Amino acid sequence: MRTVAADRCPICAAGVAVVLHEAVPSHVDGPPSTWRLCQCSECGAARLDPRPSDDELAGLYLDYYTHEPSQPEGGAPGGLAGIRRRLRNGYVNARFDACTQPALNAVAARALVWLLARTRAVTDRTFRHLRVDGRLLDVGCGEGSFLDLAGRAGWQATGIDTDPEAVAAAQRAGVDARCETLAEHAAGGSHYDAVTISHVLEHVPDPVALLEDAYVALRPGGTVWIATPNLLGAGHRHYGAQWWPLDAPRHLVVFSPASLRRAVEGAGFIDVRPRDTAGFTRHDFAMSEQRGDPRTPPLGVRLRAAFAERLGLLRRAAADEIVVVARRPDAPGWEQ
């Protein structure tokens, strides 16, 4: 694989870094290989150095999970699963002004879910902490599962992705998905009320440029929602170079909370606010422990993951995922 040097931090452009891991194992099919991960001494972001060259990046996704068809929720299941969905939908309708159906009474559902910290965090994360408010753009929409969910909640949802197979899977699922870059889409003049970027920033050579394109795509006052693996989370602290979300060589940059804030603010956003997240840790621990095998891990691993997830809810900096929302500044006199 052709590589290029990454001797400057893509977030702050500093040239001073320390080697964090000399040999991160590759997750891409082919001959075994390892990659060096360096951490910026200025902002704390980590990067592959060297990294795959730009013309190699598309080839890293020839066999990727987003090529699988999405599983729309469809009708409500029966039994306990149906009750859980109605409870979730009632909570979401009350909290985010959504219109998901079928749903329990919104007030009662919100009161019940509010008592369950993990359930609340998973649900808020699933619906991306966003009050339903017009047009939404999902960047890196993959097979379209979130687009389907957002549409059911009441958003006018559009997705973009540069992977044609993922976009084809999304289109087969009946959602509005398009194969183009965010820069290309933003140049078309669309102004969205919300832009969501879930586990995309770590895949691109220039995350700040992508955030700047998100700024252009948003209307003044609009919201950007971002999720990305947390370099300082419990999973990386425990598994080190074997932490599955390092995902070399697809993940070119891995953020700390401070470096993500710096990138978001560097793109022009204000009011950067962290949000609770849950659900990512248990999958992350299973995949890290079992080298990519998603099957249920031993009880000890599950208990360790549950403890780490609870710690992340108590202290966001320890969570395996960073989630933030931020706002594009208002512009006086702007009209929709």
Side-chain angles (χ1 to χ4, degrees):
M1 183 180 295
R2 291 181 296 277
T3 61
V4 295
D7 51 2
R8 291 279 172 182
C9 175
I11 308 306
C12 69
V16 180
V18 296
V19 175
L20 190 60
H21 299 300
E22 190 64 55
V24 179
S26 173
H27 288 185
V28 177
D29 290 340
S33 63
T34 57
W35 296 80
R36 184 175 61 196
L37 189 71
C38 298
Q39 185 171 23
C40 176
S41 301
E42 175 64 25
C43 73
R47 64 186 186 273
L48 294 186
D49 183 18
R51 66 167 179 83
S53 61
D54 290 351
D55 59 347
E56 294 278 8
L57 294 178
L60 302 179
Y61 301 90
L62 296 177
D63 183 18
Y64 201 48
Y65 74 94
T66 55
H67 298 170
E68 298 297 322
S70 63
Q71 300 295 326
E73 289 194 340
L80 183 58
I83 295 173
R84 287 174 175 167
R85 181 180 297 178
R86 288 180 172 86
L87 179 63
R88 183 206 69 178
N89 289 350
Y91 167 79
V92 168
N93 292 348
R95 180 160 173 75
F96 299 124
D97 287 340
C99 56
T100 50
Q101 294 297 329
L104 294 179
N105 175 272
V107 175
R110 184 168 186 172
L112 288 172
V113 172
W114 198 257
L115 298 174
L116 307 170
R118 182 180 186 273
T119 299
R120 184 174 72 249
V122 169
T123 304
D124 289 353
R125 166 64 176 84
T126 298
F127 286 83
R128 303 192 176 177
H129 306 87
L130 295 173
R131 188 173 298 277
V132 176
D133 183 26
R135 302 181 67 203
L136 177 145
L137 177 67
D138 186 29
V139 179
C141 65
E143 81 292 354
S145 54
F146 175 69
L147 289 177
D148 175 74
L149 192 67
R152 293 176 185 276
W155 286 101
Q156 182 184 341
T158 299
I160 58 172
D161 203 299
T162 57
D163 185 336
E165 288 196 46
V167 170
Q171 291 172 342
R172 287 193 295 271
V175 297
D176 180 10
R178 310 171 190 184
C179 190
E180 55 188 348
T181 67
L182 179 54
E184 291 167 341
H185 191 77
S190 296
H191 293 285
Y192 289 89
D193 300 287
V195 171
T196 62
I197 308 172
S198 181
H199 290 259
V200 173
L201 282 184
E202 62 269 23
H203 291 266
V204 299
D206 192 344
V208 177
L210 186 138
L211 290 169
E212 290 170 344
D213 292 333
Y215 185 101
V216 173
L218 276 168
R219 65 167 176 81
T223 300
V224 64
W225 179 97
I226 302 160
T228 190
N230 183 10
L231 188 69
L232 303 186
H236 182 231
R237 291 182 183 276
H238 181 77
Y239 288 105
Q242 302 299 321
W243 187 48
W244 193 255
L246 294 181
D247 196 8
R250 284 186 285 249
H251 286 186
L252 308 179
V253 185
V254 188
F255 291 87
S256 64
S259 59
L260 180 60
R261 174 180 287 272
R262 182 161 181 163
V264 174
E265 290 178 341
F269 291 100
I270 61 174
D271 296 340
V272 182
R273 300 180 184 183
R275 291 289 183 260
D276 288 337
T277 180
F280 185 75
T281 303
R282 297 186 184 190
H283 174 266
D284 151 31
F285 270 60
M287 296 288 279
S288 301
E289 185 75 27
Q290 299 172 163
R291 306 291 178 89
D293 184 347
R295 290 179 296 182
T296 302
L299 177 61
V301 177
R302 283 180 280 153
L303 291 175
R304 188 161 58 243
F307 176 80
E309 187 172 68
R310 178 63 61 174
L311 178 63
L313 288 173
L314 294 173
R315 187 165 60 88
R316 288 174 177 146
D320 266 20
E321 183 184 50
I322 312 167
V323 176
V324 301
V325 295
R327 183 170 61 86
R328 175 175 169 169
D330 296 325
W334 181 86
E335 295 181 0
Q336 186 169 2

